[in-house]
Amino acid sequence: MSDFVDQLRAVAAGSLLPEDGELSVPGLAEPVEVLRDRWGVPYVSASSLDDLWFAQGFVTAGERLFQLDLLLRAAGGRLSEVFADRTLPDDRFARTIGFHRAASRAMHARFRQGVAAWIAWMPTPPVEYSLLDLAPDLPTTDEGAWAAAFVYLSWGLSGNWDVELLRAAITERLGPEAAATLLPPLPADPPAITAGSLGGRLLDELPRSKGQGSNDWVVAGSRTVMGKPMLANDPHLLALQPGAWIELHLRAPGYEARGVSLTFSPGILLGTTAHHAWGVTNVSGDVQDLFVERLNDDRSAAEHLGSWEPLTIHREEIVVRGAAEPVVVEVRETRHGPIVDTAVVGQLHPEYVALPATETYALRWTGLECGIRPSLALDAARATSFEEFRRAAWGVECPGQNFVYADVSGTIGYQCTGRFPIRRAGDGTVPVPGWDGEHEWDGWIPFDELPWDADPERGYLVTANNRIHDDAYPYLMGHDFHTPYRARRIVERLEAEPKHDVESLASIQLDTVSVPARVTLPLLLDVEPATNAHRVAIDLLRGWGGDMAADSAAAAVFNAWSGHVARRVLQPRLGDELFRRYHTWRETFQCEVLPAMLARRDGWLDDDLLRAALADAIDELRERLGDDPSGWRWGALHRLQLVHPLGALPGLEELFTAADVELGGDEQTVMQGGFDTRDGYPVAVIASWRAVYDLADLDRSIGVLPAGVSGNPASPHWNDQAAMWAGGGHHRLPFTRAAVEAAAVATLRLLPG
């Protein structure tokens, strides 16, 4: 460890939020107690909701101030004030979409006041500010700037404008038949879970590529050892440090909940009360449409129904650090939304690719018109029945979420939420004319007609971003859901045991068996090896069951071979740039297109190409992992690095890297391990929080974060959960007051100033 890193860690330690003692905090009406367990999880108890939200803001800022600052800057298109022109493309895009312009919903003022109170109290700013020669700049009185963070979050969980552009680009280059091959139509899927009285299904098949998803399922008491429901949830988000969630237990008269919260919002968003637990996955419904616009000669107006409608112009000034003048971006809007001129490619490190000038696209997106009701966390926790919870969950308009629910009375349930447009024409899969009025949105699918379910006979409900209704459902929710294989595998594991407990549900969250790999593998094994090296590699695959375990040599061969098949088949046809756009998130190709091509052998590939791709894979594996195939491991290729944004700077890697571990899984295993193929195999999407709630005894519930509660690299809780998370472990989530006090190792009292 270098002296420089030691010095920086000492600076970072100076900004730590104390865990013991008393602090005088102006803004509180009554004292607030903050207990901590060995993992640093804050248990915040207040005498009123006002003081609870204030204290939550104070504690959250004490743990995650710099993360919160960056998030608000990203949502507002202000990153270049910190990182100069390096982040100018990000800011241009944020200003074009207009996250800040859509942010009209007020956040809780007391939470923001708590954040401001920590900034006023802290002995020194976090070390990031010293390294960047900055001061904290959080708009704690600007409601819109904070609401923009929710709009920004919604964008990452919305679709499918990028897939519309991809379809259009592939069609233009290769024709509609090739586009249908690479983005195939929907097969039917027999498994069904009735959704309320609508005949909808929670297990169906609709292949499309999306980067971020989640798993959640709920099991009725009839299928548990203790006779009460249990609920499991692991939301999948980008592999970032600090992560999206902060773990908390919040208590005040009229409210008590334990789980995780977003760093910019009060209340528990995912978790449990004494009465019920809930979790979410992303619906992945289609809430974005691209409209091809006809502009006049000077591009100041768009045609609509034979008339010219003036564009709305937003002048956005982006302050760039070190530049004498701001960069001015003129965002032009039609009746449908902002005109976009770039496509976004990639997951952790997105690229902004200029769109052809031959078309003008305007984006209509639900998130620019509605969002999340600020009282959602309070309303969801206060529900006393599934029906009340359903009504509270309807406060999530964008991004649409699949809520699962379980309560102590034995009820389990599912509710789809979100605003999904009703289109006059078209199915939302490709850009449509904006001038003829034939593809407009005529309102939304009514909330009370969204899919839902309660207490099904089979005793469980499962969602994993798969399609949630069948063809009998009277509305179009989209065509770009995730493939159904995680959901199928969860059901397979649930059906394998007559009764489940906390440990068995936790083991399902760690499952690394790829159902698509089990389908594709026999088709690859039909290839006759041409060399001894081919034979050795293929022999590793014989008898392999598709388990993407980190120590699996077969998984390494399978993924490397599949990747080189994709390159040899597609790169010559699509070209480098379009191939990168198509294959960066490989779910569609890997799960649907590759097995179909292998089965049909209709001109896209043959045995010679497959053998050449296998030779490429063997060369790559030898170069990266050595000549001995017995030493090859999937995890050696497929590493998870949790690195703070400043960890990319030379000399700061040691201070700002929270984890660097081998990981199993892929994008279609229950244990999410999706990767961005532009960068090889490094993990890009992970379970950002794993939890199992036991409604028979909430103190037996378990959970784990990928790194830890704190965003301060000097904190003992910066990455104290990382090894546990990577090893498949969990810690207890004590809920009752007796269990909380028994787990407490530190007590901080916040006193009115």
Side-chain angles (χ1 to χ4, degrees):
M1 185 182 299
S2 67
D3 291 341
F4 177 58
V5 171
D6 283 343
Q7 292 168 4
L8 289 178
R9 187 167 282 114
V11 172
S15 65
L16 287 171
L17 171 68
E19 294 189 5
D20 272 307
E22 295 183 346
L23 300 182
S24 179
V25 183
L28 284 174
E30 300 290 340
V32 172
E33 177 189 68
V34 184
L35 303 179
R36 299 267 190 162
D37 65 10
R38 60 170 294 197
W39 307 106
V41 177
Y43 300 80
V44 184
S45 298
S47 300
S48 68
L49 286 176
D50 266 5
D51 279 351
L52 183 66
W53 307 139
F54 181 98
Q56 183 186 357
F58 187 88
V59 170
T60 300
E63 298 291 359
R64 303 283 189 91
L65 181 61
F66 184 74
Q67 177 194 19
L68 184 52
D69 195 342
L70 276 193
L71 175 61
L72 295 177
R73 289 177 183 274
R78 297 174 49 235
L79 287 171
S80 298
E81 296 174 8
V82 178
F83 300 110
D85 55 6
R86 178 180 177 184
T87 54
L88 188 54
D90 302 89
D91 287 345
R92 283 183 184 271
F93 190 76
R95 299 292 184 96
T96 298
I97 300 301
F99 305 127
H100 62 303
R101 292 193 299 273
S104 60
R105 296 169 290 111
M107 300 290 288
H108 290 294
R110 288 292 283 165
F111 181 87
R112 297 195 308 272
Q113 290 166 8
V115 172
W118 167 254
I119 295 172
W121 188 95
M122 63 184 178
T124 185
V127 67
E128 294 94 333
Y129 293 101
S130 298
L131 288 167
L132 295 170
D133 190 24
L134 291 172
D137 183 20
L138 283 76
T140 53
T141 60
D142 183 350
E143 294 176 353
W146 288 69
F150 259 125
V151 184
Y152 184 69
L153 171 71
S154 299
W155 174 260
L157 298 174
S158 296
N160 65 338
W161 78 290
D162 51 343
V163 186
E164 289 186 36
L165 289 173
L166 192 57
R167 283 193 186 96
I170 293 174
T171 299
E172 182 177 355
R173 186 176 181 96
L174 299 179
E177 184 177 343
T181 298
L182 297 181
L183 295 165
L186 312 179
D189 194 15
I193 297 177
T194 302
S197 60
L198 301 176
R201 299 198 301 197
L202 295 184
L203 284 176
D204 209 332
E205 188 164 358
L206 192 52
R208 285 287 83 81
S209 58
K210 289 290 176 184
Q212 302 176 44
S214 303
N215 306 313
D216 64 6
W217 63 93
V218 60
V219 181
S222 61
R223 298 186 66 103
T224 68
V225 172
M226 300 305 294
K228 289 284 189 180
M230 293 192 302
L231 185 148
N233 188 202
D234 54 299
H236 304 161
L237 294 172
L238 293 178
L240 302 175
Q241 176 61 14
W245 306 107
I246 182 167
E247 188 179 351
L248 292 162
H249 187 136
L250 303 175
R251 186 178 71 156
Y255 183 90
E256 183 172 17
R258 161 90 201 227
V260 290
S261 177
L262 295 167
T263 53
F264 55 85
S265 176
I268 297 298
L269 200 61
L270 306 175
T272 187
T273 70
H275 175 261
H276 61 273
W278 68 97
V280 300
T281 66
N282 200 32
V283 172
S284 300
D286 185 358
V287 295
Q288 295 175 335
D289 277 351
L290 286 170
F291 288 83
V292 182
E293 305 286 16
R294 287 178 177 170
L295 302 186
N296 60 0
D297 290 341
D298 65 1
R299 302 180 68 81
S300 64
E303 181 183 349
H304 186 72
L305 299 179
S307 300
W308 293 105
E309 296 182 343
L311 301 184
T312 299
I313 308 296
H314 300 282
R315 177 184 168 87
E316 299 285 350
E317 294 188 357
I318 302 173
V319 176
V320 179
R321 189 171 187 174
E325 299 291 335
V327 172
V328 176
V329 177
E330 283 199 346
V331 179
R332 297 175 299 158
E333 268 187 21
T334 72
R335 64 166 38 234
H336 300 113
I339 293 174
V340 294
D341 56 8
T342 56
V344 183
V345 180
Q347 300 293 321
L348 278 177
H349 310 292
E351 302 171 15
Y352 298 92
V353 179
L355 295 175
T358 53
E359 300 284 8
T360 299
Y361 296 110
L363 173 69
R364 186 165 186 188
W365 171 42
T366 302
L368 296 177
E369 303 174 39
C370 55
I372 297 177
R373 188 172 60 233
S375 61
L376 168 70
L378 185 62
D379 297 340
R382 284 177 161 174
T384 59
S385 67
F386 178 50
E387 184 60 30
E388 285 187 15
F389 183 85
R390 288 181 63 207
R391 300 287 170 178
W394 288 351
V396 179
E397 297 177 325
C398 185
Q401 298 292 291
N402 296 306
F403 279 83
V404 293
Y405 166 98
D407 66 32
V408 294
S409 67
T411 299
I412 65 171
Y414 161 80
Q415 177 65 56
C416 171
T417 70
R419 289 280 192 177
F420 302 96
I422 297 174
R423 297 170 174 86
R424 291 181 189 173
D427 61 5
T429 60
V430 294
V432 294
W435 58 85
D436 60 10
E438 294 182 6
H439 298 83
E440 302 300 316
W441 293 2
D442 289 332
W444 316 96
I445 298 176
F447 276 129
D448 57 3
E449 295 186 45
L450 293 173
W452 66 279
D453 202 357
D455 296 327
E457 288 187 12
R458 67 175 62 193
Y460 57 79
L461 293 160
V462 176
T463 79
N465 318 112
N466 49 295
R467 186 167 67 167
I468 54 174
H469 62 78
D470 62 10
D471 293 338
Y473 187 63
Y475 298 103
L476 171 69
M477 294 186 70
H479 285 295
D480 288 319
F481 296 90
H482 281 268
T483 51
Y485 301 110
R486 281 183 285 116
R488 289 185 187 177
R489 180 60 178 168
I490 293 166
V491 169
E492 184 180 321
R493 291 288 305 270
L494 288 174
E495 292 282 7
E497 300 289 339
K499 301 281 186 179
H500 286 276
D501 57 18
V502 170
E503 288 71 25
S504 68
L505 293 194
S507 72
I508 297 175
Q509 291 178 327
L510 304 173
D511 190 278
T512 52
V513 171
S514 170
V515 174
R518 296 192 305 198
V519 174
T520 304
L521 182 62
L523 300 170
L524 288 174
L525 291 177
D526 283 344
V527 176
E528 188 67 30
T531 68
N532 185 59
H534 287 173
R535 188 170 295 105
V536 170
I538 290 174
D539 284 346
L540 284 173
L541 294 174
R542 297 192 190 280
W544 179 58
D547 190 345
M548 299 288 179
D551 61 356
S552 171
V557 173
F558 177 82
N559 283 296
W561 192 0
S562 298
H564 285 286
V565 170
R567 289 183 180 87
R568 283 189 171 266
V569 171
L570 301 179
Q571 204 162 9
R573 292 174 168 87
L574 296 176
D576 292 347
E577 187 270 329
L578 189 53
F579 171 70
R580 282 163 64 83
R581 284 173 60 186
Y582 173 77
H583 196 245
T584 180
W585 185 259
R586 63 173 199 161
E587 181 179 348
T588 299
F589 180 82
Q590 192 67 30
C591 297
E592 299 296 333
V593 177
L594 178 58
M597 286 181 174
L598 289 168
R600 290 196 308 260
R601 300 298 184 94
D602 56 0
W604 286 84
L605 50 75
D606 55 25
D607 280 8
D608 288 340
L609 183 147
L610 294 173
R611 280 189 284 264
L614 179 56
D616 294 341
I618 292 168
D619 289 344
E620 178 188 7
L621 293 169
R622 283 174 169 169
E623 180 180 350
R624 298 185 61 173
L625 304 180
D627 291 334
D628 183 4
S630 66
W632 295 347
R633 301 182 319 283
W634 173 227
L637 298 174
H638 186 244
R639 298 190 69 89
L640 168 65
Q641 291 186 315
L642 294 177
V643 183
H644 184 285
L646 297 192
L649 299 179
L652 298 182
E653 302 92 342
E654 181 182 350
L655 179 66
F656 285 122
T657 299
D660 185 354
V661 296
E662 295 186 0
L663 200 68
D666 68 3
E667 74 286 331
Q668 274 303 304
T669 56
V670 180
M671 192 188 85
Q672 176 64 230
F675 52 95
D676 189 329
T677 61
R678 297 172 308 148
D679 301 322
Y681 309 96
V683 180
V685 181
I686 59 172
S688 59
W689 163 247
R690 290 199 301 258
V692 178
Y693 302 103
D694 185 349
L695 276 299
D697 181 357
L698 284 174
D699 292 335
R700 280 202 302 263
S701 303
I702 57 176
V704 65
L705 291 169
V709 167
S710 181
N712 188 323
S715 169
H717 310 303
W718 154 258
N719 64 350
D720 56 342
Q721 298 186 44
M724 182 167 52
W725 182 94
H730 299 77
H731 63 81
R732 292 286 184 187
L733 307 180
F735 189 89
T736 64
R737 184 62 184 178
V740 167
E741 291 178 351
V745 298
T747 302
L748 176 68
R749 282 176 57 80
L750 305 179
L751 305 177

